[in-house]
Amino acid sequence: MKLAMPWGHLAAKRWGAAEGPPVLCLHGLLDNANTFDKLIPQLPPDFHYVAIDFGGHGRSSHYSPGFLYCHYHFVIDVRRVVAALKWTHFSIVGHSFGGTVGGMFACIFPEMVDKLILLDTLPLLLDFQELDNLVTYKHQAIEHMLQIEASQKLPSVVSPPKMLQRFLEHRGLDKECGALLLKRGTTKVGSGLVLNRDPRLSMVKSCFNFVSKEQFVQFIGRLQASVLLIKAVQEDKGELITEEEKRFIMDMLRSKLQEVRRDRAFPSLCPGVPGLAALPHHPGLYTWGHEHCRILTCCRARPTLAPLVRCWPQGRSPPWEPGSTWH
């Protein structure tokens, strides 16, 4: 499926019932819609799942020359996608960067998002020094884009085995999952492969928009969606925020979402979890939650989390008690 955009198109794939309740699936930075290939077939078939390739990823068009890849632009793209699909109310499943895009969208358009499921990510990225660092972030992003434009470097053609090896070394995935992402994220050239993604995305941090404490409180205060957050016990080495900032985010999510539920009398949230068998999570699984917001941690050596997910759309009771461990 291709959706027309001002600069070209966004590619997408769909599963389930076309008339069923809609679920938008958003992948992580430098990934693509194949992220969800192992998950969606195990979920209830009477929902309509659509996974997109963000601009510059997978089979989507690259942004126009001279155009900066920016977090807010991805949020705008989500609004364009749901307008094209004629969705007015839907749920979001977002992994990593896709979760921060979905989280910001759910705060800016709270009336449109029923449920927000965050896989090993947070709804917004916080920087306690955001005001001090803002100029530095923008300077780095602009300089990086200009360097990429000036280099005019053509993408390298690499043999499939070597491409997979490089991919696994940098991404921490197993062989099967790496091959799955490369299938949609590369183009065959002669006997080799070329990465589809836009070189302007190579400076990952330039794509994120960090918010200050005050902005975070305002954003989260607008959130109306029921929220499920799945986080890893062992974090990746290249973390973008500090432990102190993470604690603040978790505390604010708990307090604000509990407050939202009291004020708006939300019905109970069935905490089913659409976990991804294809993604690199870490040992240990625990849950924390209440009726409106649930936070849990998923494992690397794990079965698929699809049995938990099936509870979510169908309203059944979860197979664990809050605070328990699921193996």
Side-chain angles (χ1 to χ4, degrees):
M1 180 170 62
K2 290 184 179 181
L3 301 171
M5 295 287 133
W7 66 90
H9 72 271
L10 286 184
K13 53 198 306 184
R14 63 174 81 196
W15 298 262
E19 302 303 320
V23 181
L24 185 65
C25 303
L26 305 175
H27 64 77
L29 199 64
L30 307 183
D31 291 341
N32 56 64
N34 275 11
T35 291
F36 300 95
D37 272 16
K38 286 182 170 290
L39 167 68
I40 303 301
Q42 301 183 63
L43 301 186
D46 49 345
F47 282 72
H48 185 196
Y49 306 95
V50 173
I52 65 170
D53 292 327
F54 283 124
H57 295 74
R59 297 176 183 172
S60 290
S61 301
H62 293 187
Y63 282 178
S64 300
F67 195 70
L68 185 67
Y69 283 92
C70 171
H71 191 271
Y72 285 113
H73 294 156
F74 291 113
V75 175
I76 295 169
D77 290 348
V78 170
R79 185 65 184 87
R80 289 186 174 116
V81 166
V82 297
L85 295 172
K86 296 182 170 55
W87 291 357
T88 56
H89 296 89
F90 61 99
S91 297
I92 293 175
V93 178
H95 170 247
S96 192
F97 178 76
T100 67
V101 173
M104 182 165 284
F105 182 94
C107 294
I108 295 174
F109 300 97
E111 71 285 354
M112 298 186 73
V113 182
D114 298 321
K115 294 184 177 71
L116 175 65
I117 296 87
L118 304 172
L119 306 176
D120 201 12
T121 188
L122 297 164
L124 301 164
L125 284 179
L126 176 68
D127 184 349
F128 283 175
Q129 306 300 320
E130 190 270 343
L131 294 178
D132 294 332
N133 294 336
L134 182 61
V135 174
T136 301
Y137 292 149
K138 299 305 180 187
H139 178 273
Q140 291 174 345
I142 293 169
E143 287 295 329
H144 173 70
M145 185 182 71
L146 294 178
Q147 288 171 10
I148 294 293
E149 290 176 349
S151 70
Q152 298 293 314
K153 185 179 179 181
L154 295 175
S156 302
V157 179
V158 181
S159 69
K162 192 169 184 179
M163 178 74 77
L164 180 59
Q165 181 184 353
R166 287 183 183 178
F167 197 73
L168 299 182
E169 288 173 354
H170 288 91
R171 305 302 301 277
L173 296 169
D174 63 34
K175 193 171 183 178
E176 181 186 5
C177 300
L180 190 62
L181 290 175
L182 285 179
K183 183 178 179 181
R184 191 174 178 91
T186 57
T187 297
K188 187 173 177 60
V189 177
S191 60
L193 297 174
V194 171
L195 287 173
N196 293 341
R197 64 175 180 243
D198 195 319
R200 285 173 286 181
L201 292 162
S202 57
M203 184 179 175
V204 172
K205 197 169 183 178
S206 68
C207 298
F208 288 89
N209 278 104
F210 294 85
V211 298
S212 64
K213 273 186 178 181
E214 295 77 15
Q215 290 171 324
F216 185 89
V217 171
Q218 290 299 315
F219 271 109
I220 294 301
R222 290 176 50 82
L223 195 60
Q224 295 180 18
S226 296
V227 178
L228 174 66
L229 192 156
I230 306 169
K231 60 188 289 291
V233 174
Q234 292 176 276
E235 306 290 355
D236 291 335
K237 293 179 181 178
E239 283 299 305
L240 295 172
I241 60 176
T242 66
E243 289 299 324
E244 182 184 5
E245 289 162 347
K246 287 180 197 174
R247 285 193 295 271
F248 176 83
I249 290 172
M250 292 303 184
D251 289 344
M252 286 303 304
L253 282 173
R254 291 180 175 105
S255 63
K256 281 292 178 182
L257 291 176
Q258 285 173 329
E259 179 182 315
V260 165
R261 184 179 174 275
R262 285 199 304 270
D263 292 346
R264 300 191 176 118
F266 276 93
S268 296
L269 167 67
C270 179
V273 108
L276 297 180
L279 294 176
H281 295 302
H282 302 277
L285 175 69
Y286 66 88
T287 65
W288 171 89
H290 54 82
E291 291 180 345
H292 184 62
C293 174
R294 181 167 293 270
I295 300 173
L296 57 86
T297 300
C298 52
C299 53
R300 184 184 185 91
R302 74 246 172 252
T304 176
L305 296 179
L308 305 184
V309 140
R310 294 189 188 107
C311 301
W312 162 53
Q314 296 179 338
R316 297 201 300 269
S317 298
W320 74 85
E321 295 297 325
S324 65
T325 300
W326 182 73
H327 299 286

